[in-house]
Structure formats: structure tokens, C-alpha cells
Amino acid sequence: QAQSSGLQASTTPLPVIVTKQGKHQFQVDGKPFLMLGAQTNNSANYPAALPDVWPVVEKMHANTLGIPVAWEQIEPEEGRFDFSYLDTLIAEAKAHDVKVVLLWFATWKNNAPHYAPAWVKLDNQRFPRVVTKEGKLLNSLSPHGKATLEADKKAFVQLMTYLRDNDPSHQVIMVQVQNEVGTYGSKRDFSELANEIFEQPVPVELTQALGVNNGSWQTVFGNDADEYFHAWHIGRYVDEIAAAGQAIKDLPMNVNVALRNPFNPGDGYSMGGPTDNVIDLWKVAAPHIDMISPDIYFRDHETATKVLELYARDDNPLFVAEIGNDQPYARYFFSMLGEQGIGFAPFGMDYTDYANFPLGAKSVTDEVIAPFADNYALFGPMAEAWAALSFTHPVWGFAEPDAKAMSGDVWNAKGTSQAEPDTEAPAPGEHFTQRADLGLWNAEVTYGREMFWINPPTGNTPASGGAAIVRLSDNEFLITAFRARVTLTPSDELAGQHSMIERVEEGHFDGQQWVFERVWNGDQTDWGLNFTSRPHVLKVRMATYSR
Ligand code: N0T
């Protein structure tokens, strides 16, 4: 007889990321899983805060909660561990039937050791900080501190041991290792110790993987040497912690990124983190990290969708670990799906009385929650089906473009939007028309038009439309959208043939099983498939005919 529940063997399969031919599937409880996530504000990691968390999760129809666990709270004194917070969190998550992504706030929480215990933060001898070129001490721990790595790893191993012994049904489905690693204000550590390491040759595993010559950091990487060196050592540090944790309980692990603006990077970003310029390097440095996940606080369509493209790779499942919780961000849920993404988590979704405006909304109100809740209400019932289909079939996602170029005073989108005002467009409505080649058929997605007739689209105010398409077979598509018209037209391959819609079924999914409700025909299909703010899921069969 087991002495405690912790010793009972688990029968539930571990959560896992499966990758096949560059496509990814997250499996939870042995089934395909789409993370309809929400992340709390910082400092929600106490039992006292949780009553302010669950009501928002529920309103959002989220199936996953991202929430911190802090090193300072589990190891307040060196070697003394306290997991009472997790006892409460896991029990309450189970009661709410919500999965959890734990965020390990430790050596780095947005560059700083704020969440490390005092015995770490106050001992700069044992746990050294980054020193700038000019000799200034920054409040960012150095990745070269061996004692820091060992101490963080020791605590993380205790955390994973706790999960192994106390979470046999895997309420916690993923662990994020650190939070927005990197350093603001220096490209690397310039301490004596760091300089010594910098003089050594670039590890051959890195030069080989990148296909560059061997040599010193300076000769191999030139102007990028300092940043790449810092990124490499943070990547290795994080990887060692992840590996030690996975040896105890093999959960998927990710890191999240304080992004640089891909169109206008500058050098004010968190250096050493897995920004778009060092994803390849990070992949070599941190093989135990399943995913590098962007934190998106660019509101404009151009930049947000560019980031999604950059982080959705054959070797990197796309998980939007954070995204602003204001209305403009909600539509990018559809873009994430089109990149074959496995999850999405708006940040700051609780009633703990904080708002990170201008990154996100000014406060968490029903109105702010609604667009995210609508997305999840639409995809909740077909989350498993979508995750299954997206793994085996081609998918496309569309988010409505901004009405006009965003002005330069949006702090995090300076000069990045190439969106043209409608008057410059070659044809009326062209700006609000997006096209995709689905194979034999093309899709046209338009925003802001009457359901009846062909008046050109004028966009929604504010931009809020989105659409998602799966190609089930050459002539068959699963389509859903909000505030958009989707039209399928024959592509060049079908030139010379007559084409038509054969049948449009509206229905829903029960698990992965399609359940038919009714056929759309007549007005409902004559002018394209018009989606409003209410959820509709369609299975569309196209056909050709000849005399
Ligand atoms: C995010 C969030 C939280 C001058 C911000 C975004 C979260 C972290 N950081 O609310 O702190 O834990 O991952 C960084 C954006 C930098 C903006 C700098 C403006």
C-alpha cells in the first residue's frame, strides 16, 4: 500500500509535444490539445490571490492557466522548501478543470532576479551580477555564475520532484523555465570571469550547427559576438536546469521571449534572450527546451503577424506565451492557428487589480474579456478536433488588417506598419481583402461588409475580424471566422471548368467527431460565407462540373 498519494503510479500519460515533418501536436491526457490559455498578472502566485483569478479564467472559457511559481516562495531559506502554494493551486485548478502552465520565476524574471530569494539577491559574491563594459553593476544575474546555476537547478529539481509526487494526473502540463531571460543594458557580462570565457573558442557544436568557421567569438561573429556569447551562455544555463527537471518529471518546457521589433530592432531589448536573430543559436544551446515562445505586445497587424511567422518553425512549435489583453490582440488568435500554433495566452487575465497598459488593456472588464472569450467559446468545443486536424492537414489563419497605418507614437510599433489607407489601394476594398492559395481553390477573406450583395469591404471598426481554414481534402474545407466573409474561388488548376459550392454543412464537434446541424444554402451561400460575432463552424464541399 502506498504511504501517500504521491507514491501511487500515475496511469495518465504525460503531456508531450509530438513533431512530425515539421508539424507539431501538443498531447494532454493522451489526446490532441489546443491551449486556450490565460496568464495571470505577476504576483498572483499565492493562495490569497487565486479567488481573483478563477472567475476570469471561467469567463474566458480558457482551458489552461499560466501562473508563476517563485523561487523566493518555495525556498525562502536555503534548503528549506515550501510547496503549500502549489497544493492549493493544483487542487483548485483540478476543481475548475483547468490545466496549468507553471512559470518558474527564478534567476531571470524580465532580466532581474526579483523573484529569487533574498539569500540569493543579497549575496553578489556568491551569485554575481552582470557587469557592463564600463564596469557598472547591473541587477541581472550573470549566466557565468556556477553557484547561481547550481542553486537555481537545485530548487527547480525540488519543484519537479514535488510535481512528480503530488500531481499524478498532470494538472500541470508545461513548465516555463525562467521568464523573459536576458539582460537590459549590456550585450553581455564583461566581468573578469566572463571575459576569460569570452576569449575561449566558440564551442564546436555551435559553429558546426550554424555552419560557420571555428574561432574566437570575436572572429566568428564580429559585431554580434557579445550578444551571441551572452545568448549562448543563458541558453546553456536554462537548458541545464530544464534537463535536470525533466530527468525527474518529463514535462514539456518552454522559454518566453521579450521580443525585439523585427522591423526595427535597435539595441534596447533584453540581450541574450531568444530574440529572432538568435533562435538558431538558442536551438543548439537549449535542446531540452521544447519551445521558444513569443510575448507579443506589438498591437499592429504587420509586426504581430511577422513575429508569429518567425517563431512558428519546423523545429519550434508556436505557443504565444503572452499577448496583450486589449481588443486589438484578440484577432491574432486566428493568425496563431494559421501558423499551426498549439496555444495562446493573453496576459494579465485576473481581478488582482493591476493592468499593464499601454502593453495591454487599461483594466480587466467584461468588455475587455469578451473578444478573447468569444474566440475560446468558438474553439473550445472543437479544441481537440482542431489540434488533431491541424497536425495532419494544411491550415490557414487570417486576422483583419489595421484600418490605416498606425501612427509612429505607438511605442512598440514605431515605423513598422506598411498598411496603406484605403484610398491608395488599387481597387475599393482591396485593403480589407486577404487571399490564400488552398490548392485547387483559393480563399478570399474580406472584412466589414453586408452579408448580402457585393459592396466592397470597408473593414470592421475597430479591426476585429479573423478566419481559420483547414483543408480536409482537395475539395473539402473546415471554415470558421468572426466578422468576416470567406469566399472560395477556383484556382488556375481548375481553369476552364465550371465550379460551384456543392454543400455547406453547419455543425459542431463532439471530440473529433463532426456533428451535422443544418445545410447553408441560398442567401447563406450566394454572396460568400458570412460570419458574424456568433460562432458558426462550417464544412464546405466545392465541386466542378462540365457539359
Ligand atoms: C512581460 C509582462 C510581465 C519600456 C509585462 C513585457 C511578464 C513579462 N514583459 O507586463 O512582466 O511577466 O513577461 C516586456 C515588455 C517591455 C516593455 C518595456 C517598455
Side-chain angles (χ1 to χ4, degrees):
Q1 273 239 319
Q3 299 264 304
S4 78
S5 64
L7 297 176
Q8 286 164 9
S10 167
T11 51
T12 318
L14 277 164
V16 65
I17 308 267
V18 180
T19 295
K20 233 192 239 165
Q21 287 161 344
K23 291 203 145 215
H24 312 285
Q25 185 175 75
F26 190 19
Q27 293 175 2
V28 172
D29 299 335
K31 289 187 292 199
F33 189 73
L34 177 65
M35 258 189 291
L36 306 174
Q39 186 174 143
T40 64
N41 279 292
N42 297 160
S43 322
N45 52 313
Y46 289 84
L50 295 178
D52 286 325
V53 171
W54 301 119
V56 181
V57 173
E58 213 160 286
K59 267 192 186 161
M60 282 178 76
H61 314 289
N63 61 19
T64 306
L65 175 69
I67 188 165
V69 54
W71 186 4
E72 67 178 348
Q73 84 184 126
I74 68 160
E75 195 182 9
E77 288 160 41
E78 191 166 8
R80 180 169 74 78
F81 289 92
D82 176 355
F83 290 105
S84 51
Y85 154 60
L86 291 185
D87 289 342
T88 308
L89 174 67
I90 290 171
E92 291 189 6
K94 189 173 261 175
H96 286 89
D97 196 18
V98 169
K99 300 291 186 185
V100 174
V101 175
L102 274 185
L103 320 172
W104 176 234
F105 284 12
T107 298
W108 292 284
K109 160 60 175 88
N110 316 1
N111 133 95
H114 293 149
Y115 281 83
W119 57 269
V120 172
K121 292 193 278 201
L122 299 177
D123 189 348
N124 198 66
Q125 290 306 306
R126 190 173 159 206
F127 307 112
R129 288 173 168 76
V130 166
V131 177
T132 68
K133 210 170 195 164
E134 296 73 36
K136 217 175 80 193
L137 190 62
L138 297 181
N139 193 17
S140 184
L141 291 173
S142 170
H144 309 293
K146 279 271 169 291
T148 325
L149 170 59
E150 288 312 317
D152 185 321
K153 191 169 51 174
K154 204 172 130 200
F156 190 70
V157 162
Q158 289 299 315
L159 172 66
M160 297 308 293
T161 306
Y162 170 89
L163 292 179
R164 182 195 65 193
D165 295 345
N166 297 278
D167 186 24
S169 58
H170 318 311
Q171 208 63 35
V172 174
I173 56 172
M174 189 185 298
V175 179
Q176 178 185 291
V177 189
Q178 314 293 341
N179 190 86
E180 292 191 348
V181 297
T183 300
Y184 288 105
S186 186
K187 290 188 175 178
R188 67 170 173 94
D189 183 7
F190 289 88
S191 67
E192 230 169 85
L193 169 66
N195 286 342
E196 259 169 47
I197 302 170
F198 186 74
E199 289 315 316
Q200 291 161 23
V202 179
V204 174
E205 48 178 320
L206 179 59
T207 52
Q208 258 173 14
L210 298 184
V212 295
N213 291 331
N214 296 326
S216 72
W217 288 89
Q218 199 56 60
T219 54
V220 177
F221 295 119
N223 283 340
D224 295 321
D226 291 332
E227 182 183 359
Y228 284 23
F229 173 78
H230 200 44
W232 172 259
H233 285 282
I234 294 180
R236 292 296 310 132
Y237 185 111
V238 166
D239 193 64
E240 198 170 323
I241 291 171
Q246 284 169 342
I248 305 292
K249 180 167 185 177
D250 193 9
L251 287 179
M253 294 191 185
N254 74 314
V255 292
N256 63 333
V257 195
L259 298 168
R260 59 177 213 164
N261 185 320
F263 296 116
N264 185 13
D267 60 5
Y269 59 92
S270 184
M271 294 265 180
T275 44
D276 65 80
N277 52 328
V278 289
I279 298 176
D280 289 340
L281 175 149
W282 256 85
K283 283 288 165 186
V284 186
H288 292 89
I289 294 297
D290 295 83
M291 274 161 297
I292 299 172
S293 312
D295 292 350
I296 300 180
Y297 293 100
F298 302 114
R299 287 169 178 255
D300 70 291
H301 184 273
E302 201 88 27
T303 316
T305 52
K306 178 71 184 174
V307 166
L308 294 172
E309 268 171 49
L310 288 168
Y311 285 88
R313 305 173 19 142
D314 289 2
D315 63 357
N316 196 61
L318 176 65
F319 166 41
V320 178
E322 292 178 31
I323 188 162
N325 62 0
D326 212 355
Q327 181 277 330
Y329 299 101
R331 61 197 150 137
Y332 303 129
F333 176 71
F334 289 92
S335 316
M336 176 280 296
L337 293 174
E339 297 289 347
Q340 225 254 312
I342 62 162
F344 191 83
F347 178 88
M349 301 311 290
D350 59 50
Y351 294 137
T352 58
D353 206 20
Y354 190 85
N356 70 356
F357 179 84
L359 304 187
K362 286 189 172 157
S363 63
V364 179
T365 60
D366 283 357
E367 202 191 337
V368 164
I369 295 170
F372 299 97
D374 289 348
N375 288 343
Y376 290 1
L378 173 60
F379 274 85
M382 62 168 167
E384 184 187 333
W386 179 274
L389 290 169
S390 157
F391 187 51
T392 47
H393 296 71
V395 291
W396 290 266
F398 307 82
E400 181 172 353
D402 301 308
K404 44 181 172 347
M406 297 193 84
S407 66
D409 51 18
V410 177
W411 73 270
N412 61 2
K414 235 169 228 155
T416 64
S417 181
Q418 279 115 56
E420 291 291 327
D422 219 8
T423 48
E424 311 274 308
E430 193 57 25
H431 178 71
F432 297 105
T433 303
Q434 295 165 335
R435 296 184 180 83
D437 179 352
L438 312 183
L440 293 184
W441 304 89
N442 294 331
E444 189 187 271
V445 182
T446 52
Y447 303 95
R449 65 201 307 188
E450 307 300 337
M451 295 167 103
F452 191 88
W453 204 243
I454 54 165
N455 284 341
T458 56
N460 296 296
T461 310
S464 63
I469 301 178
V470 186
R471 189 177 74 206
L472 299 170
S473 65
D474 284 353
N475 295 315
E476 211 179 5
F477 303 89
L478 184 77
I479 306 180
T480 189
F482 276 137
R483 295 169 292 278
R485 177 186 291 185
V486 181
T487 307
L488 298 185
T489 56
S491 74
D492 291 346
E493 287 100 311
L494 298 179
Q497 302 188 47
H498 298 277
S499 65
M500 63 169 200
I501 293 176
E502 183 184 331
R503 182 178 169 91
V504 176
E505 291 188 2
E506 175 167 19
H508 63 269
F509 281 93
D510 180 8
Q512 294 183 37
Q513 199 57 46
W514 175 251
V515 181
F516 165 85
E517 290 168 12
R518 65 163 173 158
V519 169
W520 278 23
N521 205 340
D523 284 350
Q524 282 65 54
T525 55
D526 288 345
W527 313 106
L529 306 169
N530 290 282
F531 293 86
T532 62
S533 295
R534 274 176 48 187
H536 296 283
V537 184
L538 305 179
K539 208 166 163 177
V540 178
R541 198 152 69 230
M542 303 300 292
T544 54
Y545 60 95
S546 45
R547 48 189 302 156

